[in-house]
Amino acid sequence: MGVGVSIFFLTLGAILRFAIDPTVLGEAVHIDVIGLIFMIVGAVGVVLSIVMAPKRGNTSEDRLMHRENHPPEV
């Protein structure tokens, strides 16, 4: 999950948690709890994206190959 998707989950969770009346869908569905879950998922996604980002940048340096160009002699 990238940073953009994580921010989307944070925003959606904040809207569900704070901007919508919790009883709008009745007593069976707790919109505020769903919003809190989305906010937690978004925050974990942002932290993991930041932690994993430096590890993705070093992959190209590890795979360098040395090739010599020796054309065939005719």
Side-chain angles (χ1 to χ4, degrees):
M1 176 164 42
V3 176
V5 175
S6 300
I7 292 173
F8 172 75
F9 275 120
L10 276 171
T11 306
L12 181 65
I15 290 170
L16 291 176
R17 176 87 173 162
F18 302 116
I20 296 178
D21 185 27
T23 60
V24 86
L25 293 177
E27 295 295 324
V29 178
H30 297 281
I31 292 288
D32 55 340
V33 176
I34 295 172
L36 179 64
I37 292 170
F38 278 168
M39 288 170 51
I40 292 170
V41 168
V44 168
V46 166
V47 169
L48 286 178
S49 296
I50 291 172
V51 168
M52 299 296 281
K55 294 180 183 177
R56 279 191 242 167
N58 294 333
T59 57
S60 63
E61 294 176 9
D62 295 337
R63 292 190 229 163
L64 288 177
M65 298 171 64
H66 179 71
R67 291 188 180 181
E68 294 182 12
N69 189 7
H70 296 290
E73 295 181 20
V74 180

